[in-house]
Amino acid sequence: MSDTETLTRLSTADADGESVTLTVNGERHALRLAPWVTLLDLLRERLHLTGTKKGCDHGQCGACTVLVDGVRMNSCLQLAVMRDGCEITTVEGLAEGGRLHPVQEAFIEQDAFQCGYCTPGQICSAVGLIREGHAHTAEEIRELMSGNLCRCGAYTNIVAAIEQAMGEQAMGEQPAARGDGR
Amino acid sequence: MNRFGYSRAGDVAGAVRERAANGAAAFIAGGTNLVDLMKENVARPERLIDVTRLPLRGIEEREGGLRLGALATNAEVAYDERVRARYPLLSSAILAGASPQLRNAATTGGNLLQRTRCYYFYDTATPCNKREPGSGCPAREGVNRIHAILGTSEHCIAVHPSDMCVAMAALDATVRVTGEGGERAIPFAEFHRLPGDTPEIDTNLGRDELVTAVDLPAESFPTHYTYLKLRDRLSYAFALVSVAVAMELDGGTIREARLALGGVAHKPWRDREAEALLRGQAPSPELFARVSDATLRDARGFGGNDFKIGLARQAIRRALSQAAAGTPQSQTDKRVQ
Ligand SMILES: Cc1cc2nc3c(=O)[nH]c(=O)nc-3n(C[C@H](O)[C@H](O)[C@H](O)COP(=O)(O)OP(=O)(O)OC[C@H]3O[C@@H](n4cnc5c(N)ncnc54)[C@H](O)[C@@H]3O)c2cc1C
Ligand code: SF4
Ligand code: FES
Ligand code: FES
């Protein structure tokens, strides 16, 4: 185990749970987890990464969206034990060296939120969408962001923010896209 | 969620053996339906057999068609270049369903076996024959806006919620499964069941059987097809009525035609007699109206879902004309033309 590995043992139920290794925002965690712990609860309750939000807990809102090996998923419906060995990126892991991710910058510049509750999920989802590379028009962005609901109705500015971030990437400010789905 | 054990299957035979040995164990793949049902206490497996590490994720050429591994995700299938070019109906139907995040996790096998979204089935405080055989079906007299209009029984009026399966039914796909007794292939039309007096059984998959793949036949309908899905909002909602059409035209006549409906029955609905009316005919609004009426001749509503009959009647006509014209429904621009 390297120095950066953390051994987290938080409840007796977990002490005899499954051993799971996850890299979260670049940091490796060797964990023992009961199989019913969802990825969302692991992130929020055990690793104290509360940026990822719980909206519905049933796959219906997208507030819990994170990247699993670079692919966006609803963390509320993922059992953490099943993602053993994966790299997880949450909203806390997008900035690099104190510099916000271009999607985060664009959300601020375009004022793409009101209360902010859906925003971490929106941002992770937008990063996933850009990597997937299937959205080219505002209409396609809207459709492929439909898995993220916003109760404040900030949709118009969210689309504008993603268009801005996509434009910056097209001009070569972003590293090459990774394939989706794998 | 109940407490349960967990194991990770290393090979297909091991997964099948473990499931055969424990009737209260369940396979889990993308988890997007099973974890949800477990949170609601509708599903309470004693043990989860994680099949996601099995080598069943590929999409391969086979006898002029394609074999979709049971673990290929819905996104992988929908965006596969061969699927898009040769089976655009399937790609379109998958992209009409769920959300990008869900499609990234959901698998081919899990989509086939997803359970109904009937409100009473989900609510453990109410009776439901599918959840608790013999307890009754409150949907018949209750809130049944999303329920079936075809193939219902006095015991259950639930619908199968999948979009992917409607396209697979139209394409005459085959489901490949492996159980303790070996492998077998189940024609798509025989995979899902009507509720009859055993609504607790959704499919004809054996208790110990694992879905390993779905085979798409060589005939792929790349030009004349459409997937028209009508729902309460334009995206991220289950179908109230959906229609998959696949057609092959020869000059001015329809050589082959398939018509499958979603959101209206306990399985993707095909009516071969009604489809036969299309073969050898020239496409026309009158012909499509006749086929639509024939498909719905036995449709019956339960109050809240009566509107589905009229909606389906129009949707079938529209989908047939979209397919005949070679102008499939866009899943991005939602306008129905
Ligand atoms: C909010 C929401 C909206 C949705 N909207 C739509 C929609 O519009 N259209 C649509 O079609 N779907 C929709 N879905 C459903 C989604 O498509 C399914 O949840 C998904 O396809 C299930 O696949 P999975 O791999 O996650 O299955 P799991 O949840 O892992 O499993 C589902 C079932 O399949 C069984 N199983 C899994 N793999 C196998 C196998 N290889 N062999 C045998 N049994 C197996 C499991 O035991 C379980 O019973 C929606 C889901 C959610 C949560
Ligand atoms: S329609 Fe079927 S699933 Fe719904 S309450 Fe009746 S028996 Fe249960
Ligand atoms: S909290 Fe996961 S989708 Fe709503
Ligand atoms: S900003 Fe409030 S929910 Fe989206």
Side-chain angles (χ1 to χ4, degrees), chain B residues 75 116 160 214 312 320:
Chain B
T116 187
H160 191 260
V214 172
L320 286 167

Side-chain angles (χ1 to χ4, degrees), chain A residues 35-36 57-61 65 71-72 74 76 78 81-82 84 125 132 134 143-144 146-148 181, chain B residues 1 3-4 6 8 29-30 32 36 39-40 50 53 57 76 79 99-102 104-105 235-236 331 334:
Chain A
W36 48 84
D57 214 19
H58 289 281
Q60 298 178 358
C61 75
T65 303
V71 177
R72 54 181 165 155
N74 310 81
C76 68
Q78 293 300 311
V81 64
M82 291 179 66
D84 187 21
S125 189
E132 287 160 14
H134 301 303
E143 171 62 15
L144 294 175
S146 66
N148 293 82
Chain B
M1 243 193 290
R3 299 306 180 230
F4 55 86
Y6 171 81
R8 198 170 283 157
T32 60
D36 187 29
K39 287 183 178 187
E40 298 285 7
D50 176 355
R53 312 280 162 136
R57 197 160 172 175
E76 284 163 358
Y79 290 120
S99 71
Q101 290 94 314
L102 288 161
N104 281 342
S235 195
Y236 202 13
Q331 303 304 350
K334 308 288 175 153

Side-chain angles (χ1 to χ4, degrees), chain A residues 121-136:
Chain A
Q122 300 278 3
I123 289 177
C124 286
S125 189
V127 172
L129 165 130
I130 294 171
R131 280 198 184 141
E132 287 160 14
H134 301 303
H136 307 288

Side-chain angles (χ1 to χ4, degrees), chain B residues 182-197:
Chain B
E183 289 183 42
R184 67 184 178 115
I186 308 174
F188 210 85
E190 289 160 35
F191 187 78
H192 297 97
R193 298 161 42 106
L194 289 179
D197 53 12

